[in-house]
Amino acid sequence: MSLRSSKIEDATGLAGKVQVILEACKKKDADLVAELAASPGGLVNDEARRAAWPLLLGSSPADTDIFEKPWQELPQQKDEDQVKLDVDRSFVYYPRNETDKQLSKRQHDLQILIVSVLRRHPYLCYFQGYHDIAQVLLLVLGPSAATLPLARLSLLRIRDFMLPTFTMSLLHLQLLLPILRAADEELERHVSVTQPDFAIASTLTMYAHQVEDYADIVRLFDFLIAQEAVVSIYLFAAIVLSRREELLEIDPSEPEMLHITMSKLPKPIDWDLLITRATSLFELYPPHLLRPASTWWWKISPYSVLKTTRDRLELRRQSLQDGEVFFKRHAAQVRRMELFSRLQIRLSRITRPYRGYGLAFSVIVVAWWLGVRFNGFAVTAKGFHGAWKFLSSR
């Protein structure tokens, strides 16, 4: 038995486990804390979480630079109106039995927390459900301590969901069916009649949008914060596998019913069991070895969180500046990808009657389109050069 395993087994009882967690945090032993976070019961209570979550999310000396200027003095971020609308609908399920005054104070703190992060990182694109994630950090860490962890979570863990388009959010879900196929081919065939976007509400918000119990959501955050980003998809796969009999009873000729059923989390739900199953799935079927997802995996941008979170030690050392660099490079790649996709669609429509003229005509058409699109001969010439490079590489 390893020393690490022995320490975990010695954490008998809740008080004993909390003590082990706190001692590991003092020693900066993030690997042991991550193992404890994945073990039954997770990090036990918020005292342990206040020590463990910042450690698991990592830190960099450069991160303190973001606090040089008060957020109130920074320009308003473009999404603040939507933030206000969502914050006004926050804290629906927990904490319970609070007065209107207490609720108003929490919403005020949540508004400041989110806006302070967005103003310091104005390129981030807020999404509905982000406030669900932020409110969990706020409740556990408190208003003053939650800002840096939320910023690191945003730039280094869920960055793909804050890009200017929704493309990467949906691309993450393309891994779900290959995981199911590896684990249970019959069930995968049955549910593949519908698109995997039934998982979006859960995976986009680290399950905070759908989990209604405070003890459950903080226990889930224990696990997800300690893992690389892709593990969230494996957790949803474990949920689908746990509903095998229920789902197989639904007629595959009714994909809408399958979609509705899988878009809602089952009740009751044993999160410890599902976390164990998700961990096992990840170990048995890592994303780069799945078929045919392996082809898809190698097409994923090196700047996606699916890849930049793979090394957990390196992840904890990354800075907010690293996250900004990843974000901007990834956003540029997505823009190019979407432009090429639009070009292909237009090219297909325009050249369909003239396919016999081949590549030369295609280059002329694409260059002409770019010239019209951007209005200028010089751009048309650049478009001709770029189109030739692009089409000749196809």
Side-chain angles (χ1 to χ4, degrees):
M1 179 184 299
S2 69
L3 177 60
R4 189 173 302 279
S5 299
S6 175
K7 286 183 178 180
I8 294 175
E9 288 197 5
D10 286 346
T12 55
L14 297 182
K17 187 175 185 182
V18 168
Q19 190 60 37
V20 172
I21 294 167
L22 294 176
E23 289 178 1
C25 290
K26 287 180 181 178
K27 296 176 181 178
K28 307 295 184 185
D29 190 346
D31 290 334
L32 176 56
V33 174
E35 289 189 43
L36 290 162
S39 67
L43 297 175
V44 184
N45 63 29
D46 287 356
E47 177 192 7
R49 292 183 179 102
R50 282 189 285 273
W53 284 9
L55 176 66
L56 293 172
L57 287 168
S59 63
S60 167
D63 289 349
T64 56
D65 294 345
I66 68 168
F67 297 103
E68 287 183 354
K69 192 172 186 179
W71 68 268
Q72 297 92 334
E73 297 178 12
L74 299 173
Q76 183 171 335
Q77 208 263 5
K78 63 185 184 302
D79 298 318
E80 288 185 31
D81 290 341
Q82 184 60 55
V83 172
K84 181 64 167 63
L85 292 174
D86 288 347
V87 166
D88 287 345
R89 298 190 292 265
S90 61
F91 301 105
V92 174
Y93 300 116
Y94 49 80
R96 295 189 174 95
N97 303 318
E98 291 204 318
T99 65
D100 290 344
K101 184 177 180 180
Q102 289 172 318
L103 175 61
S104 179
K105 175 63 166 59
R106 289 196 187 278
Q107 291 176 337
H108 175 72
D109 290 341
L110 181 60
Q111 176 81 12
I112 290 175
L113 173 61
I114 295 173
V115 169
S116 67
V117 171
L118 293 180
R119 288 194 184 183
R120 289 186 172 111
H121 309 282
Y123 48 86
L124 293 176
C125 298
Y126 175 84
F127 61 88
Q128 288 184 278
Y130 181 82
H131 71 291
D132 294 309
I133 297 172
Q135 77 176 22
V136 176
L137 268 67
L138 176 66
L139 289 171
V140 171
L141 301 176
S144 60
T147 304
L148 183 55
L150 180 61
R152 289 189 61 83
L153 187 71
S154 302
L155 271 79
L156 302 175
R157 305 291 186 114
I158 60 172
R159 182 179 62 246
D160 290 5
F161 304 146
M162 306 191 81
L163 288 165
T165 72
F166 215 53
T167 303
M168 278 307 302
S169 301
L170 297 174
L171 189 58
H172 280 222
L173 301 181
Q174 297 304 312
L175 186 61
L176 182 57
L177 291 179
I179 298 171
L180 294 175
R181 185 180 304 122
D184 189 329
E185 289 189 23
E186 181 185 5
L187 181 59
E188 185 273 335
R189 284 194 301 270
H190 187 77
V191 303
S192 63
V193 296
T194 184
Q195 292 298 313
D197 57 359
F198 50 75
I200 193 69
S202 292
T203 56
L204 186 70
T205 65
M206 296 176 63
Y207 298 80
H209 185 68
Q210 291 196 303
V211 176
E212 300 175 5
D213 184 80
Y214 179 73
D216 285 343
I217 192 57
V218 293
R219 194 271 169 273
L220 273 180
F221 269 48
D222 292 343
F223 175 65
L224 294 174
I225 287 174
Q227 307 299 317
E228 57 184 272
V230 74
V231 172
S232 179
I233 307 296
Y234 282 82
L235 179 59
F236 201 92
I239 294 171
V240 174
L241 290 166
S242 74
R243 308 176 73 178
R244 187 179 198 279
E245 293 183 5
E246 174 192 3
L247 295 173
L248 289 177
E249 288 179 358
I250 300 174
D251 193 323
S253 65
E254 299 182 33
E256 297 85 2
M257 183 58 67
L258 273 169
H259 192 283
I260 292 171
T261 301
M262 288 189 289
S263 67
K264 299 177 181 178
L265 296 178
K267 296 179 182 180
I269 189 164
D270 186 339
W271 288 113
D272 278 337
L273 181 62
L274 290 171
I275 285 170
T276 299
R277 183 69 186 277
T279 303
S280 177
L281 287 172
F282 179 71
E283 292 172 351
L284 289 170
Y285 315 114
H288 61 286
L289 295 181
L290 288 168
R291 297 288 187 270
S294 56
T295 303
W296 166 86
W297 180 254
W298 294 115
K299 292 180 180 178
I300 292 292
S301 168
Y303 308 119
S304 166
V305 296
L306 293 175
K307 290 189 173 176
T308 61
T309 63
R310 301 245 42 205
D311 185 331
R312 289 189 291 181
L313 176 59
E314 178 61 27
L315 172 61
R316 292 193 292 269
R317 292 173 176 170
Q318 289 172 4
S319 68
L320 295 175
Q321 288 89 337
D322 292 328
E324 180 177 351
V325 170
F326 292 147
F327 179 96
K328 292 181 176 179
R329 291 178 179 176
H330 196 182
Q333 285 187 340
V334 171
R335 284 194 297 270
R336 289 195 296 270
M337 180 181 68
E338 292 181 343
L339 173 61
F340 286 162
S341 178
R342 291 195 298 272
L343 284 175
Q344 286 178 302
I345 293 171
R346 283 188 176 242
L347 182 62
S348 175
R349 291 173 180 170
I350 295 172
T351 64
R352 191 175 293 116
Y354 308 101
R355 284 177 181 166
Y357 291 90
L359 180 62
F361 180 81
S362 299
V363 171
I364 294 170
V365 169
V366 173
W368 169 82
W369 180 84
L370 285 171
V372 172
R373 174 71 174 80
F374 296 105
N375 191 26
F377 177 79
V379 177
T380 303
K382 291 181 180 179
F384 182 91
H385 177 70
W388 174 262
K389 288 180 64 178
F390 170 62
L391 290 170
S392 62
S393 69
R394 306 305 288 171

